[in-house]
Amino acid sequence: MTHAYDIAVVGAGMVGAALATGLAQDGFTVALIDRAPAPEFAPDAAPDIRVSALSAGSERYLQQLGAWPQITGMRATPYRRLAVWDQTPHPLSGLVPRKFTEVEFDATGLGTSHLGHIVENAVTQQALWQVAGATAGVTFFTGHGVSALTERQDKVTLALDNGTQVDANLVVGADGGQSKIRELAGIGVSRDQYAQQAMVLSVRYQGPVEDITWQGFYPSGPRAFLPLHSAGPEHPDESWASLVWYDSPEQLARLKAMPDSELLATIQKAFPATLPLLTHLDSKASFPIARQHASRYFSGRVVLAGDSAHTINPLAGQGVNLGFQDAQCLQTVLKEARRANQDLADPDRLAQYERQRRPANHRMMLTMDLFYHLFSNRIPPVHLLRNLGLGAARALPFARNRVARYAMGIDDQLPAVLTQLANRIPGLNQL
C-alpha cells in the first residue's frame, strides 16, 4: 500500500515530532515515521534518565506548537540560576580563590523569570506526540523503520520494513546521530570522538527542589547537577535530580560496576561539596560523546535536521535546543516555498536553510569545544588562564550575560570575541 504526503519526517523524537507538528499546523500533509512506539509517561514513576535543559527560546517554540501546557502538566523544573567553576586541584589554585572564579548566571540579571527548564526527554516527546496526534495533517507510521529510499524527479518513495510505501515531495531526516536517512541519501559526516564518556544518573537527594543547575570542572571532565521535581508524598523531604559525570570509559566502567550504596558514597565524595546529600540511586547509564557535522544539510529531495545534521559536546545541554532551532528555520523556509508556489525541494530554498543553520550550529560546536579544551587538562598556564577567565567573566557581567542570552535563545549572535578565540584553537574549525 502506498501513501502520499507533502513531507515525510523520519524520526519522531523531540525535534522530528516538533517539526511535523509545526508543518501540519501550516497546512502541509505530513507522514511521521518512527521505528519506536509511542513514548510512555507515568506520573508516579521515577524520572526518565534522559533529560534536557530546554532554553527559553525552545520554550517559546513549544508554546507556539501548543505542547508546553502538556509538558508543564506532566513534569518540568524551572531553573533560575546556573553556576560554573574550576574544581581542579592544583598549586596554582591558591593564587585565585574560588569565590573569584565561580561564575553564576541569574535570571534576574538577564531580565527574565527563569533561565530554562530541566525536562525529561520522554515528557517532551510525549507532549509533542499528543499535539501531533491532535493535529489534522499528521499521520503516524510507528513500529517500522525505513529500509529503502528511491528518489524520482518529483517525489521520494520510502519503503518501510513492513512493505508499506510512503511517497513525499520532501523527506526530512530527523532520525538521530546514526541517521539511516542521511546514509541512504549519501550524505557524509565529519566526526570527532572525545576521549571522555558521560555517565548519567537519576538520584534522590535530601531537601526541597533547587532552582540552580551547576557544573564543576575537573581535568577528567565536568560533574554536573540538574534539579528535577519533588519526590512526592512517599518521600516528602526529598527531591529528584539528574547527575552527569564525564570521565574515561575505564573509570566509568569501574563506577557502574559498584553496588548502588558504594556508588552513591563515591559520588558524594567526588562531586563538589555543593551537591546535596544523596539518598537513593534509581538508574544509571553511560554513553560516548562526539561532535559530528554532516558534509551538507540536503541532497536532492532529502534534508536533515537535529542530530542527523549535527551533534555537539553535551557540556551545556544545547543539542536539542539547536535541533528545535533547525525545525523552526526549516518550517519557515518550506512555508515560504509553498507561498511562492515553488517545489518544496527547491535547491535554492534548502540552501537558504543550510546557510542559516550551519554557521549557528558550528558556532555552538566551537564554543563547547573551547570549554572542553580549556578545562580538560592540568597544564599550569592553562589552569591559571581559565581561572583568570572565570574571574573576568565574574567581573564583566555584561559580557557574560550576552553569552548566556545567546545560549538561552534570546539573542541570535554569539559575542564575536568567543568565536574569534575558538577559531584560534587548532582543530576546532574543521567540522
Side-chain angles (χ1 to χ4, degrees), residues 344-381:
L344 297 180
D346 182 272
D348 291 336
R349 288 291 182 182
L350 297 182
Q352 178 187 347
Y353 161 70
E354 181 164 2
R355 282 195 304 271
Q356 292 183 46
R357 293 307 307 152
R358 177 178 284 276
N361 293 326
H362 188 63
R363 282 194 300 270
M364 188 60 75
M365 284 181 172
L366 293 180
T367 304
M368 292 304 100
D369 270 18
L370 173 61
F371 278 98
Y372 174 81
H373 285 278
L374 280 180
F375 284 96
S376 297
N377 64 75
R378 291 184 173 88
I379 302 172

Side-chain angles (χ1 to χ4, degrees), residues 67-294:
W68 191 249
Q70 279 89 338
I71 290 174
T72 56
M74 287 183 277
R75 293 195 291 237
T77 305
Y79 63 97
R80 297 173 178 83
R81 295 177 295 147
L82 184 155
V84 295
W85 61 83
D86 188 1
Q87 195 78 20
T88 303
H90 194 283
L92 289 177
S93 300
L95 297 177
V96 185
R98 175 179 148 176
K99 67 177 182 178
F100 293 114
T101 61
E102 180 177 348
V103 178
E104 182 175 304
F105 302 92
D106 188 281
T108 303
L110 296 176
T112 185
S113 61
H114 56 277
L115 299 179
H117 282 78
I118 309 298
V119 185
E120 299 156 60
N121 289 3
V123 167
T124 303
Q125 188 181 6
Q126 173 68 243
L128 286 164
W129 277 48
Q130 290 175 9
V131 176
T135 303
V138 177
T139 302
F140 282 90
F141 293 84
T142 59
H144 299 280
V146 174
S147 58
L149 181 155
T150 305
E151 189 169 336
R152 297 180 175 84
Q153 184 174 358
D154 61 347
K155 66 179 180 181
V156 179
T157 298
L158 298 176
L160 307 190
D161 54 23
N162 66 342
T164 299
Q165 290 193 336
V166 175
D167 287 346
N169 299 122
L170 181 72
V171 170
V172 179
D175 51 339
Q178 304 300 315
S179 172
K180 176 73 171 180
I181 294 300
R182 186 184 65 224
E183 176 188 340
L184 292 173
I187 299 175
V189 294
S190 299
R191 181 178 175 85
D192 185 7
Q193 184 80 41
Y194 295 99
Q196 296 172 327
Q197 290 189 1
M199 180 170 67
V200 182
L201 309 102
S202 289
V203 299
R204 287 203 310 265
Y205 64 89
Q206 196 171 82
V209 175
E210 299 210 3
D211 71 345
I212 185 170
T213 179
W214 49 256
Q215 294 189 74
F217 286 88
Y218 295 74
S220 60
R223 294 166 198 175
F225 170 87
L226 296 88
L228 294 172
H229 52 280
S230 168
E234 292 187 4
H235 305 279
D237 300 321
E238 297 180 6
S239 304
W240 286 101
S242 178
L243 304 182
V244 188
W245 185 331
Y246 295 78
D247 217 309
S248 68
E250 296 77 18
Q251 172 65 359
L252 294 187
R254 286 191 290 270
L255 292 170
K256 287 196 299 179
M258 292 179 178
D260 286 356
S261 58
E262 183 181 350
L263 179 55
L264 274 181
T266 301
I267 292 168
Q268 197 80 62
K269 184 177 180 180
F271 266 58
T274 312
L275 182 68
L277 179 64
L278 303 181
T279 58
H280 173 74
L281 170 62
D282 183 74
S283 57
K284 59 185 181 287
S286 64
F287 55 90
I289 55 177
R291 66 168 176 152
Q292 181 174 279
H293 215 171

